[in-house]
Amino acid sequence: MAGTMRPSAYVDMAAVEERHWWFAGRRRVLAGCIARLGLRPGAAILEIGSGTGGNLRLLSRFGTVTAVEMNEAARAMTLARHERADIRAGSLPYDLPLGDRKFDLICLFDVLEHVEDDAAALTAVRALLAPGGVLLITVPAYTALFGPHDEALHHKRRYERAGLRAKLTDAGLRVDRLSFINAALLPVAWALRLADKGLRRAQASGTAMPPAPLNALLAGIFGAETLLLPHFDLPFGLSLLALARADD
């Protein structure tokens, strides 16, 4: 998985991902999406690029979870938080230590943008899906927003909606849902990101932990999208969310 985050970024992530509005809001949205899938009891779930393990508690509500993470420090942080976690060293697209196992749900949460060959990564993921299995993926949206925040996190790209659909389809996946998320906060984020680019700031604005009341408000705004997504796709947002299945 070329372009992994710098080691200090994992430390920063572990420190804030339980409370920061972006992680908390995204988990609420993801939980709603997974709940609506109707997975079988004990479903086999795989998270690739699991970072410091911030999503494992959520995913374990829906089945038996295996995680793959390339960074040794991140794996150690995961095991410190989840002693019994099944977490393995590996990376996309060609180092997935899973044998011939197949999974009912595979999760890539803001991972694909780190991978040099994202097309090969999606093809590798498709091969791991069980019959009827689902890929749930989130990626940052809008190429025009690429800037200091993405460079600091070693992102290779941001995605347009049509481009992500084409990547999934080319990998032999049938797209069931493709929606923007984090819509309400897009105007503020867009303004901040463009200012960062124009002023050539070394560090992106708006990434630090906000004061508690503001943090709770932002998490609530983002998380409330779980009430909208069962009914329609959001037409804009800071990220894209896709649900896709093997096209058999």
Side-chain angles (χ1 to χ4, degrees):
M1 194 184 303
T4 183
M5 295 192 296
R6 67 189 189 283
S8 63
Y10 289 101
V11 177
D12 296 341
M13 179 189 297
V16 303
E17 66 180 336
E18 290 295 331
R19 299 178 293 115
H20 192 283
W21 68 267
W22 186 84
F23 290 103
R26 188 183 67 169
R27 281 194 298 271
R28 185 176 171 191
V29 169
L30 295 173
C33 289
I34 297 171
R36 291 190 294 275
L37 293 176
L39 295 174
R40 63 179 177 85
I45 299 174
L46 172 66
E47 183 181 12
I48 303 176
S50 56
T52 58
N55 300 312
L56 298 188
R57 186 175 294 108
L58 160 65
L59 295 176
S60 67
R61 289 162 42 190
F62 299 98
T64 302
V65 183
T66 301
V68 172
E69 169 56 47
M70 69 179 297
N71 184 272
E72 182 178 1
R75 295 196 303 273
M77 293 176 202
T78 297
L79 289 172
R81 300 163 72 182
H82 309 281
E83 293 181 0
R84 299 181 181 179
D86 179 4
I87 182 165
R88 308 179 183 201
S91 62
L92 286 168
Y94 303 118
D95 182 21
L96 295 172
L98 300 164
D100 59 358
R101 294 180 64 187
K102 303 291 183 180
F103 296 88
D104 301 301
L105 173 64
I106 300 178
C107 303
L108 274 70
F109 300 145
D110 289 83
V111 168
L112 195 64
E113 65 272 15
H114 294 273
V115 184
E116 189 73 50
D117 191 345
D118 57 350
L122 289 172
T123 299
V125 168
R126 182 197 180 283
L128 294 170
L129 285 171
V134 180
L135 168 63
L136 175 57
I137 181 172
T138 61
V139 295
Y142 300 118
T143 302
L145 286 183
F146 194 96
H149 175 74
D150 301 279
E151 292 167 356
L153 295 178
H154 290 193
H155 291 176
K156 300 297 181 183
R157 66 194 73 79
R158 299 179 73 93
Y159 288 85
E160 303 295 338
R161 191 173 187 273
L164 180 59
R165 179 182 291 276
K167 291 274 187 181
L168 292 165
T169 301
D170 289 348
L173 292 156
R174 184 184 75 247
V175 180
D176 287 351
R177 290 289 306 272
L178 179 52
S179 175
F180 288 96
I181 58 173
N182 203 359
L185 301 173
L186 175 64
V188 175
W190 194 295
L192 289 174
R193 299 288 171 84
L194 292 181
D196 289 342
K197 290 177 68 172
L199 297 173
R200 299 188 178 184
R201 291 173 176 148
Q203 183 174 355
S205 302
T207 55
M209 175 71 74
L214 177 58
N215 188 65
L217 174 63
L218 295 174
I221 292 172
F222 188 178
E225 291 180 356
T226 194
L227 302 175
L228 304 177
L229 287 168
H231 307 291
F232 55 87
D233 293 338
L234 303 182
F236 56 85
L238 196 56
S239 299
L240 283 160
L241 178 148
L243 284 165
R245 301 176 189 265
D247 187 5
D248 295 326

